[in-house]
Amino acid sequence: MMSTSAREESISARRERFRSPEVTLHIYDLGPTIAGVNNVLSVMGSGAYHAGVEIFGSEWSFGGERTDSNSDSGVFFCAPRGCTAHVYREAVPMGRTNLTMKEVHDLLKRMMEEWLSH
């Protein structure tokens, strides 16, 4: 027979597995030179930044330029904090989503069709 504390731990572990995934905004400076400018401008609430949204272990962004020769989409993904075109600055926790992985995938697929590169 399972002890009360083991049962509570088991229930807690199952709840954690099914919690809504965290969403994180990753902010980048547009380049090393811009990082210095952003240090000054950020005091005034301004700057030139790139951002990506992390969900389900991938970071999604819009780059405006074709990143894949087989796609016209400007939407791309990389490892979290891994956009090599920019200089990583900080992460901003955005909370959790109630969307499933399939719902997020479907949303991103639609965005990839609508947000084209130039």
Side-chain angles (χ1 to χ4, degrees):
M1 179 179 242
M2 189 182 284
S3 71
T4 302
S5 65
R7 190 176 315 117
E8 287 172 358
E9 184 177 323
S10 176
I11 290 169
S12 176
R14 275 186 268 152
R15 280 188 186 140
E16 185 62 31
R17 258 188 305 159
F18 293 105
R19 281 179 80 186
S20 301
E22 292 183 16
V23 179
T24 304
L25 180 69
H26 293 289
I27 301 172
Y28 298 81
D29 294 308
L30 294 182
T33 304
I34 298 298
V37 173
N38 283 347
N39 287 337
V40 174
L41 293 176
S42 66
V43 175
M44 297 177 277
S46 187
Y49 303 98
H50 171 78
V53 177
E54 177 186 352
I55 186 165
F56 290 113
S58 293
E59 180 179 316
W60 294 87
S61 298
F62 176 78
E65 294 182 17
R66 187 177 254 182
T67 58
D68 178 347
S69 61
N70 297 320
S71 173
D72 289 330
S73 181
V75 176
F76 67 96
F77 73 97
C78 62
R81 302 179 183 196
C83 184
T84 57
H86 306 291
V87 178
Y88 190 77
R89 176 173 277 265
E90 66 181 306
V92 179
M94 301 295 290
R96 297 182 176 276
T97 181
N98 291 324
L99 297 177
T100 66
M101 188 180 288
K102 181 182 181 335
E103 290 170 328
V104 168
H105 179 266
D106 291 346
L107 175 62
L108 287 165
K109 184 177 177 185
R110 213 170 51 237
M111 291 174 74
M112 290 176 84
E113 293 168 357
E114 294 175 13
W115 289 78
L116 302 179
S117 63
H118 54 247

